[in-house]
Amino acid sequence: MVERGLARNTVQSYRRDLRRYVSYLAAEGVDDPAVVCEQHVSAFLARLRGGDDEHPPLSAGSAARAVVAVRGLHRFLLREGSIATDVAAAVRPPAPARRLPKALPVGDVEAILSAAGAAGTVLAMRDQALLELLYGTGARISETVGLDVDDLDLTDASVLLRGKGGRDRVVPVGSYAAAALDAYLVRARPGLVRAGVGTPAVFLNARGGRLSRQSAWTVLARAAERAGVTAGVSPHTLRHSYATHLLDGGADVRVVQELLGHASVTTTQVYTLVTVDRLREVYATAHPRAR
C-alpha cells in the first residue's frame, strides 16, 4: 500500500494468495525461502489451477493474480538480501481467457435507475443517487462508496474519484446523476447523518455510517429485480455499460480511457470489440446485401 500505492482490496487479495503459498510450502516441508526452487513455484501454480481438498480450482485470472503476488514476494526477498536467486522470475502467470465485457442495453439501465428511486423514501433517494452516479461516471464501486462530500462539485458538475494505484481523476457528472445527488444530499442525507456519529461519506446506511460495497451491490441487485432485468447485473456491469454506450455514441477511446481511469489504453480497447459486434448486428439486419 505504501510503496506501490495499491488499493486496499488488491492488498487483501495478495495477502490471501501469499498465505496460501506459505501454507503450501509448509506442507512440502519448506520453511526457509532460501531453499525454495522454481519447481515449488510451478507446482503451486498447478495446485491453484487443479484445486485441492481445501480449495476449489482457480480460474486463469485468479491464478495469475496469485502468481503475481508470489513473484512480487520473491523479488522483495531478493532485494532485501534474504535469497540469492529469484526462482519465481521464470514462472509465467496463466493467460486469462479474453472475455468481452457485458453491457446492458440503454433501456435496461434506465429501467433499473427508475426502479431504484420508485419508492420515494429516504433510502430510495440514496439508492437512485448511488446508481445514477455509478452509470453516469463509470466509477468503480469502491470509488463510489469511498466518496466524501468534499469530492463532489455539483456546481461544476464534476466528481473527484480516487482510483487504483493512487490515480485520482476528475470526471463530469451528467444532469440526471447531478439532479439525483442534489435531491439526496438536500432531502435525504441529513436524516441519515443524524442516525450516526457524523461522517463525511456521501453514501450512508440506515445507521448513519458509510455504505459498504456489499450493501451497494445489494441495492443494485434489488433495483434490477424490481425492474425485471434478468441478466446478471453487478456494479461493474454499469461501468461496462457506461464505457460501451460512450463508444457507441462516438466517443474517442482515449477519452474513455481517461474517464475510466485505466492506466493503459489496451485495457479500454476491449470495449471497442463490443461496439464492433454491435455494428455487425446492425449491418446484418439493415443492409440489403448483408446476407
Side-chain angles (χ1 to χ4, degrees), residues 57 104 124 220:
L104 295 173
L220 175 57

Side-chain angles (χ1 to χ4, degrees), residues 154-206:
L154 296 185
T155 302
D156 189 45
S158 63
V159 60
L160 171 64
L161 297 175
R162 306 186 185 282
K164 291 182 176 181
R167 293 189 295 273
D168 297 349
R169 65 193 188 282
V170 176
V171 300
V173 177
S175 59
Y176 287 89
L181 280 166
D182 184 66
Y184 163 68
L185 292 172
V186 173
R187 296 161 48 197
R189 186 179 179 277
L192 295 175
V193 169
R194 285 193 293 272
V197 295
T199 173
V202 172
F203 296 106
L204 307 178
N205 57 34

Side-chain angles (χ1 to χ4, degrees), residues 61-133:
S62 296
R65 183 202 62 219
V67 172
V68 167
V70 169
R71 282 159 56 99
L73 171 63
H74 282 274
R75 281 198 304 272
F76 172 79
L77 293 172
L78 180 65
R79 190 167 67 244
E80 295 294 306
S82 299
I83 58 177
T85 306
D86 183 357
V87 298
V91 179
R92 299 299 177 198
R98 193 175 193 185
R99 295 180 298 173
L100 293 180
K102 295 180 181 178
L104 295 173
V106 174
D108 283 358
V109 174
E110 292 176 339
I112 291 172
L113 298 178
S114 296
T121 63
V122 167
L123 292 181
M125 294 174 69
R126 178 205 66 188
D127 295 348
Q128 185 167 20
L130 171 73
L131 299 189
E132 287 278 8
L133 185 67

